[in-house]
Amino acid sequence: MTGLTLTVSDEVRALAPGFTPLVVEARGLVNGPSSEASAALLDDASRRLAARLGGRAPHEDPHLAAWRAAYTAFGAKSSRTRNSAEALARRALTDAGLPRINLLVDLYNAVSVAHLVPVGGEDTDRIAGAMRLVRATGEEPFLTAADGASAVEHPEPGEVVWRDDEGVTCRRWNWRQGVRTRLTEESVNAVFLLEGLAPMAAPELDAAGAELAENLEKLSPGARITVRAAH
């Protein structure tokens, strides 16, 4: 299948030379409300996380510490603006546990928590043109929701964002996803981004991608799934 084009700008590569994005692209998926199976994956991921951390806080993990440094490098306050993996891990360790959103989101959240790697999912049918990771000018629109109503924000100049031809799809690298391209229960085609920084080794990132692909195949037998690097 013809894959979605995803590129990383030279400006971002200069900011974080150890950045490695892995792309899992899937077509013909079946999504729906969270289920016992997806809840079990989230619970298992929380157990794996607790075992991995051994009592440490999530930000003490070397990979998440690297993400804090990357956020600081483009001007975000890392203790207040947490990357998606750290935010999820903190929730996983609370009594409330991980949120149940929908099948596809549950699957990628489970992989994120188990492997301590930021993972995002986008509906490829809602993406306009190519996706690229850039430093924002500050003029780009970002569609979000505030108090239940649609709202348009703009990133800070120099902020690292994922964007397409219509605007920002995810702010502060992997901090907050936009409403326009997020996965809903009607989504059938999706792209998932797993984002690694040194010291996460390539085999660790590959293992997380393989686990996500395997779980997607179990959820949607017959789906066409490819795993590849971004450019």
Side-chain angles (χ1 to χ4, degrees):
M1 63 186 179
T2 303
L4 176 72
T5 300
L6 297 102
T7 56
V8 179
S9 71
D10 291 341
E11 283 185 314
V12 174
R13 291 204 181 276
L15 186 73
F19 176 59
T20 307
L22 187 68
V23 180
V24 178
E25 199 163 356
R27 301 187 71 82
L29 293 166
V30 178
N31 200 8
S34 298
S35 67
E36 287 186 13
S38 70
L41 287 174
L42 290 168
D43 290 341
D44 179 62
S46 297
R47 287 190 291 269
R48 290 161 67 185
L49 170 71
R52 176 180 181 140
L53 290 175
R56 294 176 300 159
H59 69 266
E60 295 178 274
D61 176 85
H63 188 225
L64 295 191
W67 273 107
R68 283 200 168 200
Y71 270 46
T72 300
F74 71 79
K77 291 182 170 59
S78 58
S79 59
R80 195 171 66 193
T81 307
R82 297 183 176 90
N83 72 79
S84 62
E86 182 180 337
L88 275 175
R90 286 168 60 91
R91 289 191 68 169
L93 296 173
T94 66
D95 290 339
L98 289 165
R100 275 61 168 156
I101 309 295
N102 61 51
L103 292 175
L104 291 177
V105 176
D106 291 354
L107 258 60
Y108 78 71
N109 280 349
V111 168
S112 177
V113 167
H115 292 268
L116 281 182
V117 59
V119 184
E122 307 282 1
D123 187 323
T124 47
D125 294 326
R126 296 168 182 245
I127 293 169
M131 286 184 67
R132 50 236 189 237
L133 187 67
V134 300
R135 299 198 73 171
T137 65
E139 300 298 316
E140 302 91 342
F142 175 71
L143 186 62
T144 185
D147 299 322
S150 294
V152 176
E153 298 177 354
H154 298 276
E156 300 291 330
E159 183 181 320
V160 176
V161 298
W162 278 102
R163 66 157 302 169
D164 65 3
D165 291 351
E166 287 190 16
V168 174
T169 58
C170 193
R171 283 197 61 188
R172 294 182 187 149
W173 213 317
N174 47 42
W175 167 68
R176 178 173 292 166
Q177 188 178 31
V179 172
R180 174 170 56 88
T181 58
R182 68 184 176 188
L183 294 171
T184 69
E185 291 181 18
E186 288 72 46
S187 299
V188 292
N189 302 313
V191 61
F192 303 90
L193 285 164
L194 296 84
E195 298 184 301
L197 283 175
M200 176 172 262
E204 291 181 85
L205 188 62
D206 290 343
E211 183 174 327
L212 178 57
E214 181 182 341
N215 286 337
L216 288 170
E217 287 168 355
K218 288 178 182 175
L219 171 73
S220 301
R224 301 183 300 286
I225 298 169
T226 56
V227 182
R228 59 185 170 89
H231 302 295

